[in-house]
Amino acid sequence: MTPVRMERIAIVAPEVTLRDALLVVANAGVVDVDRADDAMDTVVGGAVRRESAAAVAGWCPAEEKPGLAAELAEVGAGAVPLPVPRGVDPPSLLRSAGAVRRSFTPLVSTYGTVPYQDVDPTVLAGAAYVLMFGMMFGDAGQGLLLVVVAVLLRAGWPARLARWRSAWPFVLGAGAASTLFGVLYGEFFGPTGVVPVLWLDPLDDPVRLLGAGVAAGAVLLAAAYTVAIVNRWREGGTRLAVYASSGVAGAALFLGIAGIAGGLLLSADPLAVTGAVVAVMGLVLAGIGFAAASGGGAAGWVQAAVELFDIVIRTGSNLVSFARLAAFGLVHAAIGSVVWLGTTALAGRGGGTGIVAAVLLFLLGNVLAFSLEALVAAIQALRLEYYELFSRVFEIEGRPFRPWHGEAR
């Protein structure tokens, strides 16, 4: 899904009623006027005038135009369609329908503005984030606490957190993912034995967890390349989609490196050879793209060679970077294990003092683990989202849609 479709329009009215027409526009709040940062008097003064008519140009969501036109007609004005100026992209407005989409939107808008012609990655980005967070914060008990927090946010309690109410689907998704991985890891406020290990114990099988983290990263990178290829095609046509380092060329290099690694790991020579061929094809395509972008000639090819070396290093390091999904999952499991071992040791001493000390250690230890590890997992998931995924999906930045309200901002 792309950002909301925009239309280029002109607000046309008799000069004597232009201010009334602009008041309608300002109250409707659905037009990004070309001079949207200016006050009413400035916009009126900058209007284009022909005889007794005046016009102000801007952008309006296509779905809002009929309603705006009906309101303008009441004051003797109209919304006239205009051709899009060459080399000018419409402003971007992401769809806000649905609580889930609204809760994930800040994840994208904090990084930058989605270009108008690009795919809106909001839902996909949110799903990737909660998956990575859950893998690093895998504990069924602490995940359920996040679910409770989401329910409280949805209910608007406590009141001082009301401004975060719209984030409840985001918190719910993170809590559900953490609970799921906690069940898979056999973690419920640590290795308490409340839930059995359904997949692997992070501390007993760290190598397998490490491989799973890298594999999850490979899947996410493949998805990012898929979206990126579509974006490059929309931004510059087939040529950009094929030769861009985030297009087909980069995807081929990534798949080739993955094939080589898989072939060496599985001792499958045909897979490794196929991967090498695909990687070389990707390098050739990327090299052509780099050389063309640098202007060609000897200097251009030298620059292309440097950029090819850089893209190989970055592609490999980006994939390995997802090993942190396992690393921080191990840290979380280790902290939970230490707290549980201390709790059982104190409780084993017997007596009221030992039981009280065990309960206090268990509670304080889990509070510390919850607060510290949730923060770490949230930051690391954001880092992977922005540096490894969004850096491929986006190559240019759009301009946000800013509806004009008739006041200086």
Side-chain angles (χ1 to χ4, degrees), residues 261-269 271:
L264 294 176
L265 183 63
L266 301 174
S267 299
D269 293 340
L271 178 60

Side-chain angles (χ1 to χ4, degrees), residues 22-248:
L22 290 177
L23 282 174
V24 171
V25 172
N27 292 329
V30 295
V31 179
D32 187 337
V33 177
D34 285 355
R35 305 180 62 129
D37 290 332
D38 293 326
M40 174 69 76
D41 291 340
T42 306
V43 174
V44 171
V48 176
R49 291 172 168 79
R50 291 292 185 274
E51 298 181 355
S52 63
V56 173
W59 299 93
C60 178
E63 57 198 33
E64 301 288 350
K65 182 185 170 184
L68 176 66
E71 293 184 37
L72 288 171
E74 296 179 2
V75 296
V80 179
L82 294 175
V84 177
R86 180 175 298 180
V88 177
D89 292 326
S92 297
L93 174 64
L94 302 185
R95 297 186 182 277
S96 59
V100 173
R101 178 178 290 275
R102 284 195 299 271
S103 69
F104 288 156
T105 295
L107 185 64
V108 178
S109 59
T110 302
Y111 182 84
T113 302
V114 178
Y116 178 75
Q117 63 270 43
D118 282 10
V119 174
D120 175 7
T122 301
V123 175
L124 293 176
Y129 184 93
V130 299
L131 172 67
M132 293 186 291
F133 179 89
M135 195 168 187
M136 290 185 284
F137 194 68
D139 187 290
Q142 295 175 6
L144 288 175
L145 286 180
L146 285 175
V147 172
V148 171
V149 171
V151 172
L152 292 177
L153 286 175
R154 176 66 177 83
W157 188 89
R160 61 183 178 180
L161 296 181
R163 63 175 179 168
W164 302 105
R165 186 173 185 269
S166 62
W168 73 265
F170 194 54
V171 179
L172 179 64
S178 299
T179 302
L180 173 61
F181 278 100
V183 171
L184 295 176
Y185 297 159
E187 296 277 330
F188 187 88
F189 294 113
T192 55
V194 174
V195 294
V197 178
L198 295 185
W199 177 36
L200 60 80
D201 185 326
L203 298 179
D204 289 343
D205 203 351
V207 175
R208 188 178 174 192
L209 182 62
L210 180 65
V214 175
V219 172
L220 292 174
L221 283 172
Y225 273 116
T226 301
V227 176
I229 290 171
V230 175
N231 286 345
R232 298 299 87 77
W233 177 73
R234 290 182 174 182
E235 293 164 4
T238 304
R239 180 175 299 179
L240 183 61
V242 171
Y243 294 111
S245 60
S246 59
V248 173

Side-chain angles (χ1 to χ4, degrees), residues 385-396:
E385 187 93 65
Y386 285 176
Y387 285 92
E388 318 303 345
L389 303 180
F390 281 8
S391 62
R392 286 168 170 77
V393 172
F394 302 120
E395 282 200 350
I396 60 175

